[in-house]
Structures are given as structure tokens and as C-alpha cells.
Amino acid sequence: MQPDRERLHQEFERLRENSARRTKERGFELAARWNRDETAIEYLYRQGQLICDERDLDTVLEAFDQLRIDRPEVTEGPVGLAVLHVPDADAAEIAAKLADILGDERIVAPNHVLDAQVHMSMCPATEPVPSYGPIPVLGEPVGPGRPKVAVVDTGYLPVVAKDSGFGRFSAVKKYEIDDDVYVPGTDEIRPYGGHGTATTARLLAVSGADAVEVEVRDCLIGGAVDELAIVEDLEKVIKGGADIVSVQAGLYARQGNTPKSFDLLYRRVVSKHPDTVIVAPAGNHGTDVPFWPAAYSWVTAVGALTTGGDYRAPWSNFGYWVDAYTPGESTVVPYPNGRYGYIDETSARFSNGHSVWSGTSFAAPVVAGLIARRMIEREVSAPVARHIVLQEAAIGALPHTGPRLIV
């Protein structure tokens, strides 16, 4: 087995185990659609579930009848989706058979999984390495704006604020924690533990803390989340009045398709809240293949530059759908103290509340923070502030990279 292929299989197994061990009722069986020689994953999905628009439900159930497959149990999902439970079959294979009957593979779809390690690279692009700070920050912005920001991520841990000395966590007024950062009863840090804390700090380092109000929703338990769960959280924060939403996750969908839950999220929620701006990472796989939700026109997609900001990081995704690039390599961020085990079976001990970490997931919150900063300084709406920030990116563009923001 080639080293890259072997690492990919190791990463998938780790993510599969993490997904299965989730707390409460949120654990699930993770599956992958592999390419022919199993050197790449086309997309990840949740076994046992299919999704469709509730308006298409009767048509889909009739297709089950034509296939002579027992009709599934159906439950209500977010944003007008119906969830079809197929526990004894491969969800992707059933979706393909239904598409043949329906003549359109967009009607019913697997429940895709957004994760923190699609394909060869993790998101973050590297695993954390101990660091001794400090965390670089911009000064507090001055102005009358008071934006509300939501961060959707994994592994948020408030106690990290104390260990890292990063005072700007005071801006986090509300948070939900659904994941265990540590293995219970130990100081062993789980994979992706503390990721949400780090990305929130990246945002606050730019936006400041005095004039923003931040909510953190910790839904990517174990490093992954199915599209139904994340869309449900996005619906809540958008309807709750968030001006800016920073989402540190993404997925690859079936070839030629977009993820159905996000399609309906836009139709039922986002389109009705035009003053909300959504920011997402472009992904860490060095490809121009669209990565969702970043690749939607209604999402601000952020790629990563090298530390100095002179080049696109080689692992950062790119393409016409990426709106801006900002440094995301070797960022210094708050991190839990304890022992972390790497995928190569080595380990490191963290004792200073900091790490160095890389990925487009550390670039996206910088752009979200800049949008919040412009809202504060100029007392404008989030869409206007986004336009200002992207104009600044265009001015700083590099011919070999694209729109660039250096902060």
C-alpha cells in the first residue's frame, strides 16, 4: 500500500471511529464512496439515511414500491426535508437505484458528511504542534457598529481561555458544547479537540472583543457532522439574528451534484435573511473541485496563503469559486493542555495552552473577523462590509494566486 493511500485509510478509520462514538443520539455509521483503486474518497455519507424535499416524498416512496423495496420509516428533517431511514442497506446504492427509477439523481440523495479530514489532508491541513505563542492580534476597532457573529465548529473548550491567556474570549456570550475534548478520565486530547476554540480565537484576533457578540455552536462531534445536523444549527443562528456566520467545515458531494440540505437551506432560510453573511473554508486538498458550502455563490469561500502571504499554500483548494485568500499556514492558536496522539502513533504533550496549526479553517475566520471589523468601524450591514473586504482583497491580489488579504 502506498504511503499516501495508507494514510488516507488511517484518517478515514479514525474519523469513522470518532463518528460512531458520539455522545447522546448523535453517533452514526460513516461510509465513503471510494474511487476504483481506493486512493481517493469521492464523498462521505451517513449510512442508514436518505434525504429528499418533503414535496417529493410521495414520488420517492412510489419509486421504492417499483424497486420492490419496503417503504422506509420517514421523519421530519430541517428546512423542509424528509429523512428516509434505510438501516439495512447501503444508502448510496439505494440512492443510485432510486435515481434510475426517477430519472433524476437530484431528487433523493445520501445524507452527506462534512468533516475535518476529507481526501488526503485533514482540515486542518496539519495536526497541531506545541507552541509558546503569543497569539498575534489587531488592535480593538473603533466605531459604532455592534455585529453578532456565530461560529460553527468542533471542540470548543472555554477553559482554554484561561490556559492561553487570550482575553478576547470574553466576547463569547453563548456556546453549546456537545463533544468531549478529552478522553473521559484522562488528559488525552481527542482528534480535533480544541479546533473550535482555535478558530474562534482567529476570528476575535481580527474583530476585537469589545464590540462583537459571539455564539459558538459545537456540532462537529468527533471531527464530522452530517449535513442535516449542521444545516439545523445554521438555520438556528441565522434565524437568531447572526450578522456573520463562520463555518469551519465542508464536503464533496456526488459528482455533478450539490448537497441537498444546503440547497434547501438557501431556499428556505438564507434567501429570506439577505443581511446575513456566511463564510466557509475552501478545503485543504490542493484541487479546484468545488467544496461545499464554500463553493456556493451565497457563501464567501476562503483559501489559505503561506505564512508570509506571498503564495497560495500548496494544500489549499483554489478556483473561480474561491473569493479570497489569507494566511492559514502555521497559525498560532489557543489549544488544550494534555497529550495528543498523532496518526503516525507518535505523541506530544501540550503544556502552554498554545499550538501551531494549519488549514483553510484557520483562514476563513480571519475573513469573518475582517467583515465584523468593517461593520464596527463603518456602521454598515454585513453584506456591505463583505463587499468592502473583497474590494480590499482585489486590491491586494497576486497574479498567480488571486484576491489576497494580509492582516
Side-chain angles (χ1 to χ4, degrees), residues 115-172:
D115 76 305
Q117 62 169 36
V118 187
H119 290 254
M120 295 296 182
S121 304
M122 300 174 64
C123 179
T126 61
E127 296 187 82
V129 176
S131 172
Y132 294 93
I135 298 166
V137 299
L138 296 182
E140 289 285 345
V142 177
R146 294 294 182 268
K148 293 178 65 177
V149 183
V151 176
V152 179
D153 206 323
T154 182
Y156 183 71
L157 188 64
V159 72
V160 170
K162 177 182 177 181
D163 292 337
S164 68
F166 189 71
R168 289 190 177 181
F169 282 120
S170 61
V172 178

Side-chain angles (χ1 to χ4, degrees), residues 108-330:
V108 63
N111 183 2
H112 290 99
V113 168
L114 298 87
D115 76 305
Q117 62 169 36
V118 187
H119 290 254
M120 295 296 182
S121 304
M122 300 174 64
C123 179
T126 61
E127 296 187 82
V129 176
S131 172
Y132 294 93
I135 298 166
V137 299
L138 296 182
E140 289 285 345
V142 177
R146 294 294 182 268
K148 293 178 65 177
V149 183
V151 176
V152 179
D153 206 323
T154 182
Y156 183 71
L157 188 64
V159 72
V160 170
K162 177 182 177 181
D163 292 337
S164 68
F166 189 71
R168 289 190 177 181
F169 282 120
S170 61
V172 178
K173 305 302 183 185
K174 181 180 179 181
Y175 57 86
E176 290 192 6
I177 303 175
D178 289 330
D179 201 6
D180 297 320
V181 171
Y182 295 100
V183 175
T186 75
D187 69 346
E188 182 179 347
I189 304 165
R190 292 193 185 278
Y192 320 105
H195 189 265
T197 317
T199 57
T200 302
R202 287 285 283 172
L203 189 152
L204 291 169
V206 177
S207 70
D210 293 347
V212 299
E213 180 180 325
V214 177
E215 175 183 358
V216 182
R217 297 194 71 90
D218 186 5
C219 70
L220 280 79
I221 303 175
V225 64
D226 63 86
E227 57 179 296
L228 288 174
I230 199 167
V231 160
E232 184 176 14
D233 268 4
L234 289 171
E235 180 180 18
K236 288 177 181 176
V237 297
I238 293 169
K239 288 183 175 180
D243 298 298
I244 304 162
V245 183
S246 188
V247 186
Q248 279 68 239
L251 64 87
Y252 293 104
R254 295 172 300 164
Q255 187 173 7
N257 288 271
T258 54
K260 198 164 193 66
S261 295
F262 284 94
D263 293 344
L264 266 70
L265 174 71
Y266 176 76
R267 189 186 311 162
R268 300 288 181 90
V269 180
V270 176
S271 65
K272 295 178 173 59
H273 293 81
D275 286 337
T276 300
V277 166
I278 301 173
V279 182
N284 301 328
H285 314 107
T287 177
D288 62 355
V289 176
F291 190 64
W292 310 100
Y296 283 109
S297 61
W298 44 273
V299 175
T300 303
V302 184
L305 301 173
T306 54
T307 302
D310 295 326
Y311 300 94
R312 175 178 61 85
W315 38 260
S316 174
N317 285 358
F318 57 93
Y320 72 89
W321 50 274
V322 180
D323 295 291
Y325 298 83
T326 197
E329 180 183 67
S330 299

Side-chain angles (χ1 to χ4, degrees), residues 354-379:
H354 294 78
S355 75
V356 169
W357 223 346
S358 300
T360 56
S361 54
F362 298 112
V366 171
V367 174
L370 277 173
I371 294 170
R373 192 177 186 91
R374 299 298 177 256
M375 288 182 69
I376 295 165
E377 295 169 336
R378 307 196 187 188
E379 198 177 11

Side-chain angles (χ1 to χ4, degrees), residues 57 61 72-76 82-85:
L57 180 58
L61 293 177
E73 176 190 355
V74 179
T75 56
E76 182 180 348
V83 185
L84 292 74
H85 298 272

